[in-house]
Amino acid sequence: MQTEPTPQAQPQRIGVPRETFPGEKRVATVPDVVEKLIKLGFTVAVESGAGDAANFSDDAYRAAGAEVVAGAAQLWSTSDIVLKVRPPSEDEVGLMRGGGTLIDFIWPAQNPQLMEQLAARKATVLAIDCLPRTLSRAQKMDALTSTAGVSGYRAVIEAANAFGRYFNGQITAAGKVPPAKVFIAGAGVAGLAAIGTAANLGAIVRANDTRAEVADQVKSLGGEFVKVDYEEEGSGGGGYAKVMSEGFQAAQRQMYATQAKDADIIITTALIPGKPAPRLITAEMVQSMKPGSVIVDMAAEQGGNCELTVPGEAVVRHGVTIIGYTDLASRLAKQSSTLYATNLLRLMEELCKAKDGVAVVNMEDDAIRGLTVIKDGSVTWPAPPLKAPPAPAPKAAAAPMAEKKSAHGPGEPMSAKALSIVFAVGAVLFWLIGAYAPEAFLGHFTVFVLACFIGYMVVWNVTPALHTPLMSVTNAISSIIAIGALVQIAPLEAGANGRPDGLIMWLAFAALVLTAVNMFGGFAVTRRMLAMFRK
């Protein structure tokens, strides 16, 4: 009796509609990513004109293998999976295919009504903003980080456009131009991008964050970390900052007031998920700033960090330009669309590991579970807390003995007992050699032994953390042994024929070859390693 083969599931159709949010220029996928989605087994449909504002034409999508659909209604109703940037409008939810899958920014805490509407459609919704960012394997899907990096860069460009002079200091025949002073409130992904951009433009950059651990990151990008004179840890869950105590906030406001008087440009980035943006810059602080100064409020969409911010607009108050644009990432539409499309591609790879064109939402996967806010019409948000990593296994009882045995390994000094034994053995060997070796040899051997001892104590005791590219320079300099080889080849103590012994000459020649390799190789390695740190 023959059994009929199990029918394979049909490849799913991915739809990419045109964004309807006012002023939104981004698109959820780009032609290069379309080709990779098709290789995963999916079919791809793009609404006509979806990529026009980001400079991706319909013809480019067709060339990549996508079908270009004329209207939004047809696209939504025929797509199994819809990729978007902004949360869907009420009309778009009405067009959605029942039981379909939606992947985009949802912000479930801010959009409870939207969640109800999507659940009524029996949809499966993956909110890219709910990705557990603490998972290392989730970083490739982290669209929040990609978007924040673009926004931080664009914030500095907007500030430079509104500012009345150079960012970098200059000395010209017409006079001296001082560098601009930029203060950045919040050193998350967006803040760090802004710090790096402003520093590269030549400004004096200062930054503050409630999380003390970001101070080194600020300094590495060329900024100066300004610490609040109040001891309190500001790290919250998921890599975000937490709401600070009233005492800390009072000290922070005092520090901001001082910075506002001195800064030419202030960029604020402070946001806490699910909460209104904290007010950091008061009207009094704005009034204390120099005329012509600029404030870029990157938290404007959530109410703003500045008391005088008008979301979506640039206004002038007390002679200070306050920029409250809510579409900073969209102002670099091509770049931000490409990054976002790549993040979604990595997500689709996780959903379709079989590469058969069928997305499987595995609720046992921590990353996918965190993203899934609605599953087949059932609201699954918020996701349960991530499981804590298992405690490290206790060390075996023999581990201390092993450590004791290796106490004279690299980076650790020898014990006094081991050093005494080495000296005793060395003294006996030295006496045996001295008793039978020629007097001239004994002098050279003494220098050799002392060089070995000093080299061991100086180099061997250097901890691995101090190994830098400059260590290769010391390697090259150590080739001073070439001088000894030259002395042996030169006829200083030659025999009657004016030449040294054949064996000594060939040993000296070999030493010259090896030290030449050591010398030139050391400087070459140093040059290549230091080039990695240059722009």
Side-chain angles (χ1 to χ4, degrees):
M1 179 178 178
Q2 293 182 344
T3 57
E4 295 183 2
T6 303
Q8 293 183 349
Q10 293 293 324
Q12 292 179 320
R13 179 183 175 93
I14 295 177
V16 181
R18 185 171 186 169
E19 296 295 324
T20 59
F21 190 86
E24 183 57 67
K25 299 177 181 179
R26 290 174 291 175
V27 61
T29 197
V30 299
D32 288 344
V33 172
V34 166
E35 296 178 355
K36 297 172 183 177
L37 290 172
I38 293 174
K39 289 181 180 179
L40 289 176
F42 298 101
T43 60
V44 181
V46 179
E47 183 182 352
S48 180
D52 287 350
N55 295 317
F56 298 111
S57 65
D58 290 348
D59 290 338
Y61 284 107
R62 290 192 186 95
E67 176 188 353
V68 177
V69 179
Q74 180 184 354
L75 181 94
W76 280 91
S77 61
T78 60
S79 298
D80 301 295
I81 303 170
V82 175
L83 306 182
K84 269 183 59 59
V85 180
R86 292 276 187 171
S89 64
E90 186 175 350
D91 292 338
E92 288 176 320
V93 174
L95 296 174
M96 187 176 180
R97 180 177 180 177
T101 300
L102 174 66
I103 303 175
D104 74 342
F105 287 103
I106 296 294
W107 306 109
Q110 289 90 346
N111 297 303
Q113 185 177 356
L114 174 61
M115 293 283 288
E116 294 177 3
Q117 295 171 352
L118 291 168
R121 301 291 295 177
K122 304 296 181 183
T124 295
V125 181
L126 279 69
I128 200 71
D129 50 277
C130 292
L131 179 75
R133 303 172 77 184
T134 54
L135 292 175
S136 58
R137 57 178 291 267
Q139 293 178 359
K140 61 185 178 181
M141 302 178 278
D142 190 358
L144 278 175
T145 295
S146 300
T147 304
V150 174
S151 298
Y153 172 86
R154 184 68 191 196
V156 177
I157 301 303
E158 294 293 341
N161 181 58
F163 191 50
R165 55 183 172 84
Y166 297 128
F167 262 47
N168 62 323
Q170 295 189 16
I171 298 178
T172 69
K176 181 180 179 181
V177 179
K181 296 180 180 179
V182 179
F183 177 71
I184 297 173
V189 176
L192 292 174
I195 292 168
T197 305
N200 288 338
L201 289 175
I204 297 173
V205 184
R206 300 186 180 97
N208 168 260
D209 197 280
T210 57
R211 297 161 294 182
E213 65 267 20
V214 304
D216 290 338
Q217 300 175 27
V218 171
K219 294 175 184 176
S220 69
L221 291 170
E224 175 190 347
F225 187 78
V226 181
K227 193 175 184 296
V228 177
D229 190 16
Y230 193 96
E231 294 298 329
E232 183 177 349
E233 176 55 42
S235 296
Y240 296 96
K242 70 175 184 179
V243 178
M244 306 301 288
S245 67
E246 183 56 38
F248 182 92
Q249 293 180 29
Q252 187 182 51
R253 284 192 293 269
Q254 183 177 358
M255 182 270 291
Y256 282 153
T258 302
Q259 293 297 324
K261 294 178 182 179
D262 186 51
D264 299 304
I265 295 169
I266 295 178
I267 298 175
T268 65
T269 70
L271 274 177
I272 299 174
K275 298 182 181 294
R279 289 296 170 86
L280 304 178
I281 308 299
T282 64
E284 291 77 12
M285 294 180 194
V286 175
Q287 194 169 2
S288 71
M289 296 181 72
K290 292 170 282 190
S293 299
V294 179
I295 296 175
V296 181
D297 193 340
M298 296 185 63
E301 194 166 3
Q302 301 301 325
N305 296 136
C306 178
E307 188 177 352
L308 302 180
T309 296
V310 178
E313 298 182 21
V315 297
V316 179
R317 299 288 186 268
H318 306 295
V320 178
T321 302
I322 304 174
I323 299 173
Y325 296 149
T326 58
D327 60 346
L328 289 173
S330 184
R331 289 170 180 256
L332 285 171
K334 187 166 187 176
Q335 180 68 78
S336 53
S337 296
T338 302
L339 294 175
Y340 181 62
T342 302
N343 293 139
L344 293 188
L345 170 65
R346 302 309 173 205
L347 172 58
M348 296 308 298
E349 289 174 345
E350 292 293 319
L351 296 175
C352 183
K353 293 183 178 180
K355 298 184 179 181
D356 56 357
V358 178
V360 178
V361 179
N362 180 14
M363 299 296 277
E364 300 298 322
D365 186 312
D366 288 339
I368 303 302
R369 175 63 188 90
L371 285 167
T372 307
V373 296
I374 300 176
K375 180 71 165 67
D376 298 327
S378 299
V379 177
T380 59
W381 180 85
L386 295 175
K387 297 177 182 178
K395 293 183 179 180
M401 293 297 296
E403 292 179 3
K404 186 175 181 181
K405 290 180 181 179
S406 61
H408 58 287
E412 299 182 5
M414 296 177 64
S415 64
K417 182 178 180 181
L419 194 60
S420 300
I421 294 174
V422 170
F423 268 111
V425 173
V428 172
L429 292 176
F430 189 79
W431 178 82
L432 290 173
I433 293 173
Y436 299 99
E439 183 178 352
F441 175 79
L442 186 60
H444 291 300
F445 183 72
T446 303
V447 175
F448 172 76
V449 171
L450 290 175
C452 290
F453 174 74
I454 294 173
Y456 172 82
M457 298 302 294
V458 172
V459 178
W460 195 259
N461 287 330
V462 174
T463 60
L466 298 179
H467 291 170
T468 67
L470 297 181
M471 290 295 289
S472 55
V473 172
T474 63
N475 187 46
I477 296 174
S478 68
S479 298
I480 194 71
I481 192 174
I483 296 178
L486 291 174
V487 169
Q488 292 297 330
I489 291 180
L492 296 179
E493 297 182 10
N497 57 355
R499 299 187 62 81
D501 296 339
L503 178 60
I504 295 177
M505 183 182 69
W506 286 111
L507 288 175
F509 177 76
L512 276 177
V513 173
L514 294 177
T515 53
V517 173
N518 193 44
M519 187 183 304
F520 292 105
F523 285 115
V525 170
T526 300
R527 182 181 180 86
R528 292 187 62 181
M529 295 184 71
L530 292 179
M532 296 170 61
F533 299 92
R534 298 192 182 100
K535 294 182 179 180

